[in-house]
Amino acid sequence: MSSRRIVRVNQLLLEELASLLRRESKDPRVRTVTITGVETTTDLKQAVVFVRTRGGEMPVDEAFEGVESAAGFLRGRRGRSVHVRRFPVLRFIADHTLEHARKIEYLLDEALGDERDEGLDDGGDYGP
């Protein structure tokens, strides 16, 4: 299967799953959940769905349980825009990308901040 088709299927799944969670799920635990990405296997049998919660409105564990319990509902509803023979089994994983980016930014600021401070302490004369 072409990688372009997988990319399209991933995007369709992301849009459809997000829409179903937002509009049709009655579980209040999933209202704070954002789907950030979907990666399906090339045979379309499985899909990893990356999720994160918004703004600490609900404990992450509770929101994650809500999404996992909604997996059957999501798979059953499928949506009309995802046209695949087999709808993949959904596996949800917490997306920690933002936290990792913040940690890296903090470490870089800390490391570069020390170098910047040292450069300013030597008189700061950088001209010819």
Side-chain angles (χ1 to χ4, degrees), residues 109-128:
D109 283 345
E110 195 174 82
L112 294 176
D114 291 343
E115 289 179 18
R116 282 188 225 136
D117 292 343
E118 289 172 8
L120 294 175
D121 290 341
D122 67 359
D125 186 16
Y126 297 105

Side-chain angles (χ1 to χ4, degrees), residues 21 25 27 29-30 33 35 49 51 60-75 89-94:
L21 280 178
S25 176
D27 190 338
R29 297 176 295 179
V30 300
V33 170
I35 296 176
V49 181
V51 296
V60 175
D61 294 341
E62 195 174 320
F64 205 78
E65 287 174 12
V67 172
E68 286 179 334
S69 72
F73 162 76
L74 294 171
R75 195 158 187 246
V89 173
L90 304 174
R91 193 173 105 218
F92 295 94
I93 294 180

